[in-house]
Amino acid sequence: MKTKKVLFVTDASCPNLTMNGIVIKNLIDCLSEDYKISIISLKQRYNDTSDYKDIKIKYVKPLSYLIYSLREKRLQARSQVMSSVYGFTILFIRIFSISQRILSKTGLHDPLVNDLKKAIDVSLNAEYEYVVLIGKPFEAFAAALPLIKKYRKVKFIAYQVDNFVTGEDINYPKILLGNRNRARVRMLNNCSKHFWRYFMTESVYSKEKSYLQNKKSIKIIGLPLIKNQRKNVQPPNNNNKCGNVKLVYAGSLLRGFRPPEDCLDILIELAQMIDMHIDFYQRGDCDDILNTYSGKSNGAVINHGTVSSDKAYEAVNSADVLIAISNFAGDQISGKTFDCISTGKPVIFFYYQEEDYNLEFFQKYQLGLCIKMSPQKVMSNAETICKFIIDNRNHIVSYDEIEKEFWNYTPQYIANKIFQETAKKQNKLKIIKE
């Protein structure tokens, strides 16, 4: 019998193929038998609007969703006049958004804060025991603060998986970042002081700790992303050692954050050495780049664009080798890191920085190959990958081995730690895994 109720608030509801969507999905899968769960999510252009496991999802529309909608209408406009109207409207909304954040005391979108506050307030009338805020959006943290006094019996839990004070803010004037950061430091410390629990991933904590007045209030936690997917993973084809190799990338690609060109340069050289093709299932602003490289590679690079989560997972599970690409800074642990490792398949990780936060996981993983991208090493990198594929394409790591190595990143461990069912259970689990 479900005796406890928990409300999740996030920027992307499950089962979307985003880190926060995957985090919530995996937590729900291990909590749903004992907890009644609801979700408040931002409405995104890639949202699957259907409910998940009969869990009700309430959507709040941010300005970015309106911009996406207007962009679609602009592309479909039949006249230059209407196209210009949509273009000016988008520009006006962007100016309004930037101006509003500059005037805000927190450097956040105050209208979104108010909308999320109303949504949380209405939901809490149903007497939830827990509210779990997964940042982003940090507007949810600001929205929850004034509700703590109103709902004293509710346990508000912050789960910060992205940088806040040190986070990037697209189009925000750099000259005013000092004021924004000071406002965010105040809010960060208010949240860590008043929330029932405040969790950060290790990579986030390393960036934000210098701004914390009480570091002891922060609990370090991983991401619940190591999950047994063996029933969905297709076994390797042991009779096809030299046949066409299927590489798959599933995730986001963004020009200013995670561009694909350096990775593609290596893969095009690889295609000259081995019979292979690589399927990209991605969302972002790199369609034209991928299509250009598809032409250069004689079809070895295939761009499928944005697809449903189910289709992307199906592609991942049918791959011979998986591709993971880090961002420029390498300052975030990617959800795709553990998604790839969970399959037990060979994974090629492309990165830029020696201190990339994802490196330790792929270096620890038995079938991981880490490739530092450099224009001077395109050929040698391609040769290294070619040998790795030939040696490992028919291998797979058992889930028992993966769970033993990454025990503190399993959904059940993370769920236990967040809700702290019993201290003894936590200690016992740690002893067993160590």
Side-chain angles (χ1 to χ4, degrees), residues 1-24:
M1 182 177 178
K2 299 180 182 181
T3 57
K4 298 179 181 179
K5 298 171 72 176
V6 57
L7 174 67
F8 287 97
V9 186
T10 184
D11 70 333
S13 64
C14 65
N16 287 296
L17 203 65
T18 65
M19 187 171 74
N20 288 359
I22 296 168
V23 164
I24 286 191

mmCIF file with all atom_site columns, all heavy atoms in Angstrom, residues 1-24:
data_model
loop_
_atom_site.group_PDB
_atom_site.id
_atom_site.type_symbol
_atom_site.label_atom_id
_atom_site.label_alt_id
_atom_site.label_comp_id
_atom_site.label_asym_id
_atom_site.label_entity_id
_atom_site.label_seq_id
_atom_site.pdbx_PDB_ins_code
_atom_site.Cartn_x
_atom_site.Cartn_y
_atom_site.Cartn_z
_atom_site.occupancy
_atom_site.B_iso_or_equiv
_atom_site.pdbx_formal_charge
_atom_site.auth_seq_id
_atom_site.auth_comp_id
_atom_site.auth_asym_id
_atom_site.auth_atom_id
_atom_site.pdbx_PDB_model_num
ATOM 1   N N   . MET A 1 1  ? 0.844  -1.204 0.000   1.00 0.00 ? 1  MET A N   1
ATOM 2   C CA  . MET A 1 1  ? 0.000  0.000  0.000   1.00 0.00 ? 1  MET A CA  1
ATOM 3   C C   . MET A 1 1  ? 0.881  1.257  0.000   1.00 0.00 ? 1  MET A C   1
ATOM 4   O O   . MET A 1 1  ? 1.860  1.342  0.744   1.00 0.00 ? 1  MET A O   1
ATOM 5   C CB  . MET A 1 1  ? -0.907 0.006  1.234   1.00 0.00 ? 1  MET A CB  1
ATOM 6   C CG  . MET A 1 1  ? -1.857 1.189  1.284   1.00 0.00 ? 1  MET A CG  1
ATOM 7   S SD  . MET A 1 1  ? -2.950 1.093  2.720   1.00 0.00 ? 1  MET A SD  1
ATOM 8   C CE  . MET A 1 1  ? -3.860 2.615  2.510   1.00 0.00 ? 1  MET A CE  1
ATOM 9   N N   . LYS A 1 2  ? 0.541  2.221  -0.849  1.00 0.00 ? 2  LYS A N   1
ATOM 10  C CA  . LYS A 1 2  ? 1.314  3.454  -0.959  1.00 0.00 ? 2  LYS A CA  1
ATOM 11  C C   . LYS A 1 2  ? 0.897  4.415  0.147   1.00 0.00 ? 2  LYS A C   1
ATOM 12  O O   . LYS A 1 2  ? -0.180 5.001  0.111   1.00 0.00 ? 2  LYS A O   1
ATOM 13  C CB  . LYS A 1 2  ? 1.107  4.092  -2.331  1.00 0.00 ? 2  LYS A CB  1
ATOM 14  C CG  . LYS A 1 2  ? 1.552  3.194  -3.483  1.00 0.00 ? 2  LYS A CG  1
ATOM 15  C CD  . LYS A 1 2  ? 1.338  3.853  -4.821  1.00 0.00 ? 2  LYS A CD  1
ATOM 16  C CE  . LYS A 1 2  ? 1.752  2.924  -5.959  1.00 0.00 ? 2  LYS A CE  1
ATOM 17  N NZ  . LYS A 1 2  ? 1.584  3.533  -7.285  1.00 0.00 ? 2  LYS A NZ  1
ATOM 18  N N   . THR A 1 3  ? 1.770  4.562  1.150   1.00 0.00 ? 3  THR A N   1
ATOM 19  C CA  . THR A 1 3  ? 1.427  5.379  2.310   1.00 0.00 ? 3  THR A CA  1
ATOM 20  C C   . THR A 1 3  ? 2.063  6.760  2.273   1.00 0.00 ? 3  THR A C   1
ATOM 21  O O   . THR A 1 3  ? 1.673  7.640  3.025   1.00 0.00 ? 3  THR A O   1
ATOM 22  C CB  . THR A 1 3  ? 1.870  4.664  3.593   1.00 0.00 ? 3  THR A CB  1
ATOM 23  O OG1 . THR A 1 3  ? 3.280  4.407  3.513   1.00 0.00 ? 3  THR A OG1 1
ATOM 24  C CG2 . THR A 1 3  ? 1.133  3.334  3.757   1.00 0.00 ? 3  THR A CG2 1
ATOM 25  N N   . LYS A 1 4  ? 3.064  6.975  1.386   1.00 0.00 ? 4  LYS A N   1
ATOM 26  C CA  . LYS A 1 4  ? 3.757  8.254  1.323   1.00 0.00 ? 4  LYS A CA  1
ATOM 27  C C   . LYS A 1 4  ? 3.569  8.878  -0.053  1.00 0.00 ? 4  LYS A C   1
ATOM 28  O O   . LYS A 1 4  ? 3.428  8.187  -1.052  1.00 0.00 ? 4  LYS A O   1
ATOM 29  C CB  . LYS A 1 4  ? 5.245  8.062  1.611   1.00 0.00 ? 4  LYS A CB  1
ATOM 30  C CG  . LYS A 1 4  ? 5.533  7.515  3.013   1.00 0.00 ? 4  LYS A CG  1
ATOM 31  C CD  . LYS A 1 4  ? 7.012  7.314  3.228   1.00 0.00 ? 4  LYS A CD  1
ATOM 32  C CE  . LYS A 1 4  ? 7.287  6.756  4.615   1.00 0.00 ? 4  LYS A CE  1
ATOM 33  N NZ  . LYS A 1 4  ? 8.732  6.532  4.863   1.00 0.00 ? 4  LYS A NZ  1
ATOM 34  N N   . LYS A 1 5  ? 3.591  10.210 -0.066  1.00 0.00 ? 5  LYS A N   1
ATOM 35  C CA  . LYS A 1 5  ? 3.385  10.936 -1.323  1.00 0.00 ? 5  LYS A CA  1
ATOM 36  C C   . LYS A 1 5  ? 4.558  11.884 -1.565  1.00 0.00 ? 5  LYS A C   1
ATOM 37  O O   . LYS A 1 5  ? 4.988  12.597 -0.658  1.00 0.00 ? 5  LYS A O   1
ATOM 38  C CB  . LYS A 1 5  ? 2.073  11.723 -1.271  1.00 0.00 ? 5  LYS A CB  1
ATOM 39  C CG  . LYS A 1 5  ? 0.845  10.841 -1.096  1.00 0.00 ? 5  LYS A CG  1
ATOM 40  C CD  . LYS A 1 5  ? -0.406 11.665 -0.822  1.00 0.00 ? 5  LYS A CD  1
ATOM 41  C CE  . LYS A 1 5  ? -0.870 12.401 -2.047  1.00 0.00 ? 5  LYS A CE  1
ATOM 42  N NZ  . LYS A 1 5  ? -2.145 13.117 -1.805  1.00 0.00 ? 5  LYS A NZ  1
ATOM 43  N N   . VAL A 1 6  ? 5.067  11.868 -2.803  1.00 0.00 ? 6  VAL A N   1
ATOM 44  C CA  . VAL A 1 6  ? 6.198  12.718 -3.144  1.00 0.00 ? 6  VAL A CA  1
ATOM 45  C C   . VAL A 1 6  ? 5.904  13.470 -4.439  1.00 0.00 ? 6  VAL A C   1
ATOM 46  O O   . VAL A 1 6  ? 5.342  12.912 -5.390  1.00 0.00 ? 6  VAL A O   1
ATOM 47  C CB  . VAL A 1 6  ? 7.504  11.896 -3.271  1.00 0.00 ? 6  VAL A CB  1
ATOM 48  C CG1 . VAL A 1 6  ? 7.361  10.789 -4.296  1.00 0.00 ? 6  VAL A CG1 1
ATOM 49  C CG2 . VAL A 1 6  ? 8.684  12.787 -3.633  1.00 0.00 ? 6  VAL A CG2 1
ATOM 50  N N   . LEU A 1 7  ? 6.279  14.745 -4.468  1.00 0.00 ? 7  LEU A N   1
ATOM 51  C CA  . LEU A 1 7  ? 6.111  15.602 -5.633  1.00 0.00 ? 7  LEU A CA  1
ATOM 52  C C   . LEU A 1 7  ? 7.490  15.974 -6.163  1.00 0.00 ? 7  LEU A C   1
ATOM 53  O O   . LEU A 1 7  ? 8.323  16.524 -5.432  1.00 0.00 ? 7  LEU A O   1
ATOM 54  C CB  . LEU A 1 7  ? 5.350  16.881 -5.249  1.00 0.00 ? 7  LEU A CB  1
ATOM 55  C CG  . LEU A 1 7  ? 5.219  17.964 -6.329  1.00 0.00 ? 7  LEU A CG  1
ATOM 56  C CD1 . LEU A 1 7  ? 4.330  17.485 -7.473  1.00 0.00 ? 7  LEU A CD1 1
ATOM 57  C CD2 . LEU A 1 7  ? 4.662  19.261 -5.728  1.00 0.00 ? 7  LEU A CD2 1
ATOM 58  N N   . PHE A 1 8  ? 7.766  15.636 -7.426  1.00 0.00 ? 8  PHE A N   1
ATOM 59  C CA  . PHE A 1 8  ? 9.016  16.024 -8.082  1.00 0.00 ? 8  PHE A CA  1
ATOM 60  C C   . PHE A 1 8  ? 8.777  17.291 -8.903  1.00 0.00 ? 8  PHE A C   1
ATOM 61  O O   . PHE A 1 8  ? 7.752  17.425 -9.570  1.00 0.00 ? 8  PHE A O   1
ATOM 62  C CB  . PHE A 1 8  ? 9.507  14.915 -9.015  1.00 0.00 ? 8  PHE A CB  1
ATOM 63  C CG  . PHE A 1 8  ? 10.082 13.713 -8.323  1.00 0.00 ? 8  PHE A CG  1
ATOM 64  C CD1 . PHE A 1 8  ? 9.312  12.587 -8.106  1.00 0.00 ? 8  PHE A CD1 1
ATOM 65  C CD2 . PHE A 1 8  ? 11.396 13.718 -7.889  1.00 0.00 ? 8  PHE A CD2 1
ATOM 66  C CE1 . PHE A 1 8  ? 9.838  11.472 -7.474  1.00 0.00 ? 8  PHE A CE1 1
ATOM 67  C CE2 . PHE A 1 8  ? 11.942 12.611 -7.254  1.00 0.00 ? 8  PHE A CE2 1
ATOM 68  C CZ  . PHE A 1 8  ? 11.164 11.484 -7.049  1.00 0.00 ? 8  PHE A CZ  1
ATOM 69  N N   . VAL A 1 9  ? 9.749  18.204 -8.873  1.00 0.00 ? 9  VAL A N   1
ATOM 70  C CA  . VAL A 1 9  ? 9.687  19.418 -9.698  1.00 0.00 ? 9  VAL A CA  1
ATOM 71  C C   . VAL A 1 9  ? 10.987 19.495 -10.489 1.00 0.00 ? 9  VAL A C   1
ATOM 72  O O   . VAL A 1 9  ? 12.080 19.447 -9.919  1.00 0.00 ? 9  VAL A O   1
ATOM 73  C CB  . VAL A 1 9  ? 9.521  20.691 -8.842  1.00 0.00 ? 9  VAL A CB  1
ATOM 74  C CG1 . VAL A 1 9  ? 9.308  21.908 -9.750  1.00 0.00 ? 9  VAL A CG1 1
ATOM 75  C CG2 . VAL A 1 9  ? 8.364  20.545 -7.863  1.00 0.00 ? 9  VAL A CG2 1
ATOM 76  N N   . THR A 1 10 ? 10.877 19.614 -11.815 1.00 0.00 ? 10 THR A N   1
ATOM 77  C CA  . THR A 1 10 ? 12.070 19.566 -12.665 1.00 0.00 ? 10 THR A CA  1
ATOM 78  C C   . THR A 1 10 ? 11.831 20.308 -13.972 1.00 0.00 ? 10 THR A C   1
ATOM 79  O O   . THR A 1 10 ? 10.736 20.821 -14.222 1.00 0.00 ? 10 THR A O   1
ATOM 80  C CB  . THR A 1 10 ? 12.444 18.092 -12.943 1.00 0.00 ? 10 THR A CB  1
ATOM 81  O OG1 . THR A 1 10 ? 13.652 18.064 -13.701 1.00 0.00 ? 10 THR A OG1 1
ATOM 82  C CG2 . THR A 1 10 ? 11.358 17.395 -13.732 1.00 0.00 ? 10 THR A CG2 1
ATOM 83  N N   . ASP A 1 11 ? 12.877 20.327 -14.818 1.00 0.00 ? 11 ASP A N   1
ATOM 84  C CA  . ASP A 1 11 ? 12.739 21.021 -16.103 1.00 0.00 ? 11 ASP A CA  1
ATOM 85  C C   . ASP A 1 11 ? 12.331 20.079 -17.217 1.00 0.00 ? 11 ASP A C   1
ATOM 86  O O   . ASP A 1 11 ? 11.933 20.518 -18.288 1.00 0.00 ? 11 ASP A O   1
ATOM 87  C CB  . ASP A 1 11 ? 14.050 21.726 -16.482 1.00 0.00 ? 11 ASP A CB  1
ATOM 88  C CG  . ASP A 1 11 ? 15.156 20.749 -16.849 1.00 0.00 ? 11 ASP A CG  1
ATOM 89  O OD1 . ASP A 1 11 ? 15.113 19.605 -16.347 1.00 0.00 ? 11 ASP A OD1 1
ATOM 90  O OD2 . ASP A 1 11 ? 16.064 21.121 -17.606 1.00 0.00 ? 11 ASP A OD2 1
ATOM 91  N N   . ALA A 1 12 ? 12.461 18.763 -16.988 1.00 0.00 ? 12 ALA A N   1
ATOM 92  C CA  . ALA A 1 12 ? 12.117 17.807 -18.048 1.00 0.00 ? 12 ALA A CA  1
ATOM 93  C C   . ALA A 1 12 ? 11.593 16.536 -17.409 1.00 0.00 ? 12 ALA A C   1
ATOM 94  O O   . ALA A 1 12 ? 12.324 15.838 -16.718 1.00 0.00 ? 12 ALA A O   1
ATOM 95  C CB  . ALA A 1 12 ? 13.335 17.502 -18.911 1.00 0.00 ? 12 ALA A CB  1
ATOM 96  N N   . SER A 1 13 ? 10.327 16.267 -17.608 1.00 0.00 ? 13 SER A N   1
ATOM 97  C CA  . SER A 1 13 ? 9.717  15.108 -16.965 1.00 0.00 ? 13 SER A CA  1
ATOM 98  C C   . SER A 1 13 ? 10.159 13.825 -17.636 1.00 0.00 ? 13 SER A C   1
ATOM 99  O O   . SER A 1 13 ? 10.574 13.803 -18.787 1.00 0.00 ? 13 SER A O   1
ATOM 100 C CB  . SER A 1 13 ? 8.186  15.212 -17.049 1.00 0.00 ? 13 SER A CB  1
ATOM 101 O OG  . SER A 1 13 ? 7.772  15.158 -18.400 1.00 0.00 ? 13 SER A OG  1
ATOM 102 N N   . CYS A 1 14 ? 10.092 12.725 -16.871 1.00 0.00 ? 14 CYS A N   1
ATOM 103 C CA  . CYS A 1 14 ? 10.366 11.426 -17.480 1.00 0.00 ? 14 CYS A CA  1
ATOM 104 C C   . CYS A 1 14 ? 9.242  11.133 -18.475 1.00 0.00 ? 14 CYS A C   1
ATOM 105 O O   . CYS A 1 14 ? 8.145  11.679 -18.339 1.00 0.00 ? 14 CYS A O   1
ATOM 106 C CB  . CYS A 1 14 ? 10.390 10.350 -16.388 1.00 0.00 ? 14 CYS A CB  1
ATOM 107 S SG  . CYS A 1 14 ? 8.805  10.112 -15.569 1.00 0.00 ? 14 CYS A SG  1
ATOM 108 N N   . PRO A 1 15 ? 9.456  10.301 -19.466 1.00 0.00 ? 15 PRO A N   1
ATOM 109 C CA  . PRO A 1 15 ? 10.703 9.580  -19.704 1.00 0.00 ? 15 PRO A CA  1
ATOM 110 C C   . PRO A 1 15 ? 11.585 10.246 -20.753 1.00 0.00 ? 15 PRO A C   1
ATOM 111 O O   . PRO A 1 15 ? 12.149 9.572  -21.598 1.00 0.00 ? 15 PRO A O   1
ATOM 112 C CB  . PRO A 1 15 ? 10.191 8.231  -20.191 1.00 0.00 ? 15 PRO A CB  1
ATOM 113 C CG  . PRO A 1 15 ? 8.970  8.592  -20.983 1.00 0.00 ? 15 PRO A CG  1
ATOM 114 C CD  . PRO A 1 15 ? 8.369  9.806  -20.329 1.00 0.00 ? 15 PRO A CD  1
ATOM 115 N N   . ASN A 1 16 ? 11.663 11.582 -20.750 1.00 0.00 ? 16 ASN A N   1
ATOM 116 C CA  . ASN A 1 16 ? 12.456 12.272 -21.770 1.00 0.00 ? 16 ASN A CA  1
ATOM 117 C C   . ASN A 1 16 ? 13.941 11.950 -21.651 1.00 0.00 ? 16 ASN A C   1
ATOM 118 O O   . ASN A 1 16 ? 14.461 11.753 -20.557 1.00 0.00 ? 16 ASN A O   1
ATOM 119 C CB  . ASN A 1 16 ? 12.247 13.785 -21.661 1.00 0.00 ? 16 ASN A CB  1
ATOM 120 C CG  . ASN A 1 16 ? 10.883 14.180 -22.157 1.00 0.00 ? 16 ASN A CG  1
ATOM 121 O OD1 . ASN A 1 16 ? 10.576 14.003 -23.326 1.00 0.00 ? 16 ASN A OD1 1
ATOM 122 N ND2 . ASN A 1 16 ? 10.047 14.680 -21.269 1.00 0.00 ? 16 ASN A ND2 1
ATOM 123 N N   . LEU A 1 17 ? 14.609 11.922 -22.794 1.00 0.00 ? 17 LEU A N   1
ATOM 124 C CA  . LEU A 1 17 ? 16.015 11.566 -22.845 1.00 0.00 ? 17 LEU A CA  1
ATOM 125 C C   . LEU A 1 17 ? 16.876 12.790 -22.523 1.00 0.00 ? 17 LEU A C   1
ATOM 126 O O   . LEU A 1 17 ? 17.650 13.268 -23.332 1.00 0.00 ? 17 LEU A O   1
ATOM 127 C CB  . LEU A 1 17 ? 16.362 11.010 -24.220 1.00 0.00 ? 17 LEU A CB  1
ATOM 128 C CG  . LEU A 1 17 ? 17.599 10.116 -24.277 1.00 0.00 ? 17 LEU A CG  1
ATOM 129 C CD1 . LEU A 1 17 ? 17.368 8.856  -23.469 1.00 0.00 ? 17 LEU A CD1 1
ATOM 130 C CD2 . LEU A 1 17 ? 17.944 9.754  -25.715 1.00 0.00 ? 17 LEU A CD2 1
ATOM 131 N N   . THR A 1 18 ? 16.698 13.312 -21.317 1.00 0.00 ? 18 THR A N   1
ATOM 132 C CA  . THR A 1 18 ? 17.552 14.358 -20.773 1.00 0.00 ? 18 THR A CA  1
ATOM 133 C C   . THR A 1 18 ? 18.016 13.847 -19.425 1.00 0.00 ? 18 THR A C   1
ATOM 134 O O   . THR A 1 18 ? 17.439 12.909 -18.877 1.00 0.00 ? 18 THR A O   1
ATOM 135 C CB  . THR A 1 18 ? 16.777 15.671 -20.566 1.00 0.00 ? 18 THR A CB  1
ATOM 136 O OG1 . THR A 1 18 ? 15.779 15.450 -19.556 1.00 0.00 ? 18 THR A OG1 1
ATOM 137 C CG2 . THR A 1 18 ? 16.101 16.132 -21.842 1.00 0.00 ? 18 THR A CG2 1
ATOM 138 N N   . MET A 1 19 ? 19.064 14.452 -18.870 1.00 0.00 ? 19 MET A N   1
ATOM 139 C CA  . MET A 1 19 ? 19.576 13.917 -17.609 1.00 0.00 ? 19 MET A CA  1
ATOM 140 C C   . MET A 1 19 ? 18.515 13.964 -16.513 1.00 0.00 ? 19 MET A C   1
ATOM 141 O O   . MET A 1 19 ? 18.295 12.989 -15.799 1.00 0.00 ? 19 MET A O   1
ATOM 142 C CB  . MET A 1 19 ? 20.825 14.661 -17.153 1.00 0.00 ? 19 MET A CB  1
ATOM 143 C CG  . MET A 1 19 ? 21.460 14.000 -15.933 1.00 0.00 ? 19 MET A CG  1
ATOM 144 S SD  . MET A 1 19 ? 23.065 14.654 -15.482 1.00 0.00 ? 19 MET A SD  1
ATOM 145 C CE  . MET A 1 19 ? 22.604 16.225 -14.769 1.00 0.00 ? 19 MET A CE  1
ATOM 146 N N   . ASN A 1 20 ? 17.841 15.111 -16.367 1.00 0.00 ? 20 ASN A N   1
ATOM 147 C CA  . ASN A 1 20 ? 16.836 15.212 -15.317 1.00 0.00 ? 20 ASN A CA  1
ATOM 148 C C   . ASN A 1 20 ? 15.669 14.263 -15.555 1.00 0.00 ? 20 ASN A C   1
ATOM 149 O O   . ASN A 1 20 ? 15.102 13.699 -14.617 1.00 0.00 ? 20 ASN A O   1
ATOM 150 C CB  . ASN A 1 20 ? 16.330 16.656 -15.212 1.00 0.00 ? 20 ASN A CB  1
ATOM 151 C CG  . ASN A 1 20 ? 17.372 17.577 -14.604 1.00 0.00 ? 20 ASN A CG  1
ATOM 152 O OD1 . ASN A 1 20 ? 18.454 17.141 -14.236 1.00 0.00 ? 20 ASN A OD1 1
ATOM 153 N ND2 . ASN A 1 20 ? 17.061 18.850 -14.513 1.00 0.00 ? 20 ASN A ND2 1
ATOM 154 N N   . GLY A 1 21 ? 15.292 14.095 -16.835 1.00 0.00 ? 21 GLY A N   1
ATOM 155 C CA  . GLY A 1 21 ? 14.222 13.159 -17.155 1.00 0.00 ? 21 GLY A CA  1
ATOM 156 C C   . GLY A 1 21 ? 14.596 11.735 -16.793 1.00 0.00 ? 21 GLY A C   1
ATOM 157 O O   . GLY A 1 21 ? 13.791 10.969 -16.249 1.00 0.00 ? 21 GLY A O   1
ATOM 158 N N   . ILE A 1 22 ? 15.850 11.366 -17.077 1.00 0.00 ? 22 ILE A N   1
ATOM 159 C CA  . ILE A 1 22 ? 16.331 10.021 -16.749 1.00 0.00 ? 22 ILE A CA  1
ATOM 160 C C   . ILE A 1 22 ? 16.440 9.845  -15.238 1.00 0.00 ? 22 ILE A C   1
ATOM 161 O O   . ILE A 1 22 ? 16.085 8.798  -14.692 1.00 0.00 ? 22 ILE A O   1
ATOM 162 C CB  . ILE A 1 22 ? 17.692 9.760  -17.423 1.00 0.00 ? 22 ILE A CB  1
ATOM 163 C CG1 . ILE A 1 22 ? 17.548 9.782  -18.948 1.00 0.00 ? 22 ILE A CG1 1
ATOM 164 C CG2 . ILE A 1 22 ? 18.261 8.416  -16.991 1.00 0.00 ? 22 ILE A CG2 1
ATOM 165 C CD1 . ILE A 1 22 ? 18.865 9.830  -19.683 1.00 0.00 ? 22 ILE A CD1 1
ATOM 166 N N   . VAL A 1 23 ? 16.918 10.876 -14.538 1.00 0.00 ? 23 VAL A N   1
ATOM 167 C CA  . VAL A 1 23 ? 17.027 10.821 -13.072 1.00 0.00 ? 23 VAL A CA  1
ATOM 168 C C   . VAL A 1 23 ? 15.671 10.523 -12.449 1.00 0.00 ? 23 VAL A C   1
ATOM 169 O O   . VAL A 1 23 ? 15.525 9.626  -11.604 1.00 0.00 ? 23 VAL A O   1
ATOM 170 C CB  . VAL A 1 23 ? 17.598 12.149 -12.529 1.00 0.00 ? 23 VAL A CB  1
ATOM 171 C CG1 . VAL A 1 23 ? 17.345 12.264 -11.028 1.00 0.00 ? 23 VAL A CG1 1
ATOM 172 C CG2 . VAL A 1 23 ? 19.092 12.242 -12.799 1.00 0.00 ? 23 VAL A CG2 1
ATOM 173 N N   . ILE A 1 24 ? 14.647 11.279 -12.875 1.00 0.00 ? 24 ILE A N   1
ATOM 174 C CA  . ILE A 1 24 ? 13.311 11.087 -12.301 1.00 0.00 ? 24 ILE A CA  1
ATOM 175 C C   . ILE A 1 24 ? 12.759 9.713  -12.672 1.00 0.00 ? 24 ILE A C   1
ATOM 176 O O   . ILE A 1 24 ? 12.175 9.020  -11.829 1.00 0.00 ? 24 ILE A O   1
ATOM 177 C CB  . ILE A 1 24 ? 12.371 12.207 -12.780 1.00 0.00 ? 24 ILE A CB  1
ATOM 178 C CG1 . ILE A 1 24 ? 12.717 13.495 -12.068 1.00 0.00 ? 24 ILE A CG1 1
ATOM 179 C CG2 . ILE A 1 24 ? 10.919 11.844 -12.514 1.00 0.00 ? 24 ILE A CG2 1
ATOM 180 C CD1 . ILE A 1 24 ? 11.742 14.606 -12.235 1.00 0.00 ? 24 ILE A CD1 1
#
